[in-house]
Amino acid sequence: MKYTEDHEWLKTEGDVVVVGITAHASEQLGDVVFVELPEPGKAVSTGDEICVIESVKAASDIRAPLDGEIVAVNDAIVDNPGLVNEDPTGTAWFFKMKVADMSKLDGLMDEAAYNDLIG
Amino acid sequence: MADLKRTVLYDLHLELGAKMVPFAGYQMPVQYPMGVLKEHLHTRAQAGLFDVSHMGQILLTAKSGRVEDAALALERLVPVDVAGLAEGRQRYAFFTNDAGGILDDLMVANRGDHLFLVVNAACKEADFAHLTAGLPDCDLGMVTDRALLALQGPAAEAALARLVPDVVDMRFMDVAIRQWDTAELWISRSGYTGEDGFEISVPNAFAEAFARKLLAMEEVAPIGLGARDSLRLEAGMCLYGHDIDEGTTPVEGNLTWAIQKARRAGGARAGGFPGAARILKDLADGPARRRVGLRPEGRAPMREGTEIFAGPEGGAPIGAVTSGGFGPSIEAPMAMAYLPADLAEGATVYGEVRGKRLPATIAPMPFQPTTYKR
């Protein structure tokens, strides 16, 4: 698993990368009540705001962690946003993407570095 | 947060695992480990205990010693029928300014020989100064040696009755003074959630022990400001500084129900409060804009500041959201907004969220039915 400073996790599954938010992020957000996901097929650039999460407290964005194309999204979290709090690193993944340059994954944090980040 | 004040229950909040935030000059619990959503639902299903000790508690006594004189004096500052308030009863009121705007909203209780006021934390010093300047014929006291707790929800009565049995005889908006241990409790059957419940003023020295007694009961959980806000919004109640302020009149704020006949044109004590010309004109002619409820379609909340438009494209904004969020009990987004008064309930308007115009219906409030014991 790799991590971004925006509290996303990335997991490689064959030639696609699965992306979600960390348990730390879901705790900080509070109870999630609304999720908006991009359209599959969408081309994205690193840093693009591509998902919206609304919790009982506030709205936040999820950014594309790398350049690539969205190939699948998880409608289960649109239908049941609470899943993001219950199982953020498992069933509540957000989207799968084909990454333009898989070597860019190496530049992201590993678990130890992410744990240092969140203290 | 060094310069922030603490309520007498501060240590208890920390012990309960509260996340503390600055609010109106105090460090207050925004949520406990249960989280905002579950705290909200717990209050509607069982009973929630809120620390609202940051709010202002004010005693108002006429120099004559007669409560009638105190009531008539206070009527000089509020467009509300205080003189008609029976002993042992409480009602909602608001201080107005000369332009008809609202300086603060408050509760007024008739306690036999004096009045008891509960005002918003952020306004309490200004309210006290306003009362002192406006009511030279009264003695005023800011109560600083008491905490204020709210116990809200369908199990509130049963829970409180274990400590103070005869609260079961009180009905909505009754006030009473009762003993618990050697402490004098000032109890009202009211609150800010839309649920049946009580607000209880407790001497500081007894507050923690009293709160612990309630929290030890299975149905009672501590509830933070986060859920307090979603509960009051579902109940259609205004948050001062957001849904009403110095720039909104009570008529624009859809609070005409709180201006009794006696203070309206043709009433026994019509006018005679700050901003009467404007407020009576708004009552007679209808205001140009009014606070309404909105039910956005879908699940995306329309938060405070969201601009509202008449159509799905083009045009200038016709108003804005003053409070908005997700209602855990109604399982849907909800909002309050100021919109042109000629728009009827059921009309569709559009809120601009992240650059997209999303439809919302003008809807009656409360969004969640209230459960008061009348």
Side-chain angles (χ1 to χ4, degrees):
Chain A
M1 207 100 102
K2 291 288 192 176
Y3 300 87
T4 70
E5 287 177 0
D6 291 333
H7 308 283
E8 292 149 288
W9 54 259
L10 292 83
K11 192 169 70 178
T12 308
E13 262 181 16
D15 63 343
V16 302
V17 172
V18 189
V19 181
I21 66 166
T22 65
H24 173 76
S26 94
E27 274 166 38
Q28 293 297 311
L29 280 171
D31 305 293
V32 175
V33 297
F34 171 77
V35 176
E36 192 175 87
L37 298 173
E39 290 291 325
K42 184 184 173 75
V44 299
S45 303
T46 308
D48 285 357
E49 294 168 355
I50 53 172
C51 305
V52 175
I53 312 176
E54 293 258 11
S55 74
V56 288
K57 294 175 199 162
S60 22
D61 298 304
I62 291 193
R63 297 167 187 277
L66 297 166
D67 294 351
E69 182 193 333
I70 304 297
V71 294
V73 297
N74 185 5
D75 289 325
I77 60 171
V78 175
D79 298 337
N80 177 16
L83 207 56
V84 178
N85 299 108
E86 289 161 28
D87 191 16
T89 52
T91 52
W93 56 277
F94 274 64
F95 54 85
K96 298 182 183 182
M97 64 185 294
K98 269 207 169 109
V99 175
D101 178 358
M102 289 294 267
S103 71
K104 288 275 171 66
L105 274 164
D106 300 335
L108 299 177
M109 283 179 278
D110 61 12
E111 187 169 353
Y114 180 68
N115 285 337
D116 281 348
L117 175 78
I118 61 177
Chain B
M1 299 207 280
D3 52 349
L4 294 172
K5 289 180 267 190
R6 297 173 174 184
T7 74
V8 74
L9 297 180
Y10 177 82
D11 290 339
L12 178 59
H13 296 315
L14 294 190
E15 181 185 319
L16 293 167
K19 183 179 171 197
M20 306 298 284
V21 296
F23 183 83
Y26 284 80
Q27 290 189 56
M28 297 299 291
V30 67
Q31 65 171 82
Y32 297 89
M34 190 187 274
V36 175
L37 194 85
K38 291 195 180 77
E39 289 173 27
H40 176 116
L41 296 173
H42 182 93
T43 305
R44 294 251 186 263
Q46 300 193 59
L49 185 68
F50 304 72
D51 179 12
V52 288
S53 305
H54 56 315
M55 297 185 78
Q57 305 181 56
I58 297 173
L59 295 168
L60 198 168
T61 310
K63 289 205 160 84
S64 70
R66 292 159 35 96
V67 72
E68 296 86 347
D69 293 338
L72 288 171
L74 183 59
E75 285 194 359
R76 298 199 299 264
L77 301 181
V78 302
V80 170
D81 179 1
V82 186
L85 185 61
E87 181 175 346
R89 295 289 291 164
Q90 170 180 277
R91 80 178 18 154
Y92 179 69
F94 24 81
F95 296 117
T96 49
N97 63 23
D98 289 337
I102 300 174
L103 294 169
D104 194 11
D105 61 345
L106 67 149
M107 284 291 182
V108 185
N110 176 342
R111 299 212 307 193
D113 56 0
H114 66 276
L115 301 177
F116 176 56
L117 279 49
V118 177
V119 303
N120 282 303
C123 303
K124 65 183 175 184
E125 306 298 338
D127 290 345
F128 194 81
H130 182 61
L131 284 161
T132 304
L135 309 182
D137 46 346
C138 293
D139 292 320
L140 285 152
M142 180 80 89
V143 178
T144 55
D145 58 354
R146 284 178 166 266
L148 190 64
L149 300 175
L151 183 67
Q152 302 280 298
E157 181 190 76
L160 185 58
R162 286 188 203 118
L163 306 180
V164 189
D166 65 357
V167 294
V168 301
D169 299 328
M170 296 176 72
R171 63 191 174 98
F172 183 57
M173 290 292 198
D174 275 353
V175 296
I177 293 177
R178 292 287 180 269
Q179 285 299 125
W180 174 71
D181 196 339
T182 56
E184 188 180 276
L185 305 181
W186 301 348
I187 304 175
S188 75
R189 193 156 196 165
S190 64
Y192 194 47
T193 61
E195 295 295 320
D196 179 33
F198 301 87
E199 290 196 350
I200 309 139
S201 171
V202 193
N204 281 338
F206 291 84
E208 187 180 327
F210 185 74
R212 284 185 189 277
K213 279 275 185 200
L214 290 168
L215 290 168
M217 299 176 192
E218 199 175 353
E219 56 271 66
V220 180
I223 309 296
L225 292 180
R228 184 169 163 82
D229 191 55
S230 55
L231 287 158
R232 69 90 194 168
L233 183 50
E234 275 186 347
M237 294 170 169
C238 291
L239 176 60
Y240 187 76
H242 298 257
D243 307 308
I244 48 175
D245 59 30
E246 291 187 34
T248 58
T249 74
V251 186
E252 291 174 327
N254 212 356
L255 299 170
T256 51
W257 57 270
I259 306 174
Q260 290 81 14
K261 280 205 178 85
R263 306 305 305 281
R264 299 189 187 197
R269 295 180 313 285
F273 48 84
R278 168 68 192 272
I279 292 169
L280 295 179
K281 181 179 181 299
D282 271 6
L283 277 169
D285 302 344
R289 58 172 191 154
R290 187 177 281 132
R291 180 179 62 93
V292 296
L294 287 182
R295 294 289 299 260
E297 285 177 25
R299 284 181 69 92
M302 291 182 185
R303 309 254 180 206
E304 181 175 359
T306 300
E307 289 188 320
I308 304 295
F309 295 82
E313 282 169 26
I318 56 170
V321 169
T322 53
S323 281
F326 189 85
S329 298
I330 62 172
E331 297 183 299
M334 57 184 171
M336 292 181 191
Y338 277 82
L339 292 181
D342 56 0
L343 284 172
E345 254 171 37
T348 299
V349 294
Y350 296 82
E352 194 162 286
V353 180
R354 293 178 284 270
K356 275 185 273 186
R357 299 246 180 122
L358 304 177
T361 307
I362 299 181
M365 290 186 286
F367 301 112
Q368 165 80 5
T370 57
T371 58
Y372 307 132
K373 295 284 159 64
R374 291 189 191 273

